[in-house]
Amino acid sequence: MPDWFADPAAGLGGLFIASFLAATLLPGGSEAGLAAFLLTHPAEVPAALFWATLGNTLGGLTSYGAGRLLPERSLQRLPHLAQVRRFGSPSLLLAWAPLVGDALCVAAGWLRLPWLPCTLFMAAGKLARYW
């Protein structure tokens, strides 16, 4: 095991980065990193949940922001667009789901849904998944 993993602060930083990257269009899962961290530092559950959720939510907001930058006609065939249009921000409770979650975040940005409710629903879904 690397020396930096033994330090809880460094491990939490790595968990944050892994969680952020896993929520963007880059492949990867942060659940394994969370599990590994908690096996090494079982007393750090609240901090680990916080940093993993924050990183994953900010990664989802990156996809949301990318969607806002796209021209209006560019995403008309995006899967799950009808779901996001119909249910609005609450559909981002599923932003944690593999493949579907990225599309939901991009669609929410493209539809110009309000960022604060999107952020709150996204964070709630991601926290529930980690929990």
Side-chain angles (χ1 to χ4, degrees):
M1 177 179 331
D3 290 336
W4 62 266
F5 202 71
D7 176 24
L12 289 170
L15 180 59
F16 172 83
I17 292 168
S19 298
F20 176 87
L21 293 175
T24 64
L25 295 176
L26 298 173
S30 55
E31 295 86 358
L34 177 63
F37 178 81
L38 290 175
L39 284 174
T40 308
H41 307 286
E44 298 290 332
V45 171
L49 288 174
F50 173 80
W51 289 107
T53 301
L54 180 63
N56 212 246
T57 300
L58 291 175
L61 285 172
T62 301
S63 297
Y64 171 91
R68 285 192 71 101
L69 295 174
L70 293 171
E72 288 188 32
R73 285 189 256 160
S74 62
L75 294 181
Q76 291 175 356
R77 296 184 189 267
L78 184 69
H80 314 297
L81 184 61
Q83 176 188 348
V84 176
R85 186 172 280 145
R86 180 176 175 202
F87 295 107
S89 300
S91 66
L92 292 178
L93 285 169
L94 297 174
W96 61 269
L99 301 175
V100 174
D102 295 334
L104 291 173
C105 293
V106 172
W110 184 73
L111 289 169
R112 291 3 183 216
L113 295 180
W115 71 271
L116 184 58
C118 287
T119 302
L120 296 175
F121 282 111
M122 196 183 307
K126 289 171 182 287
L127 175 62
R129 181 260 324 257
Y130 284 127
W131 184 255

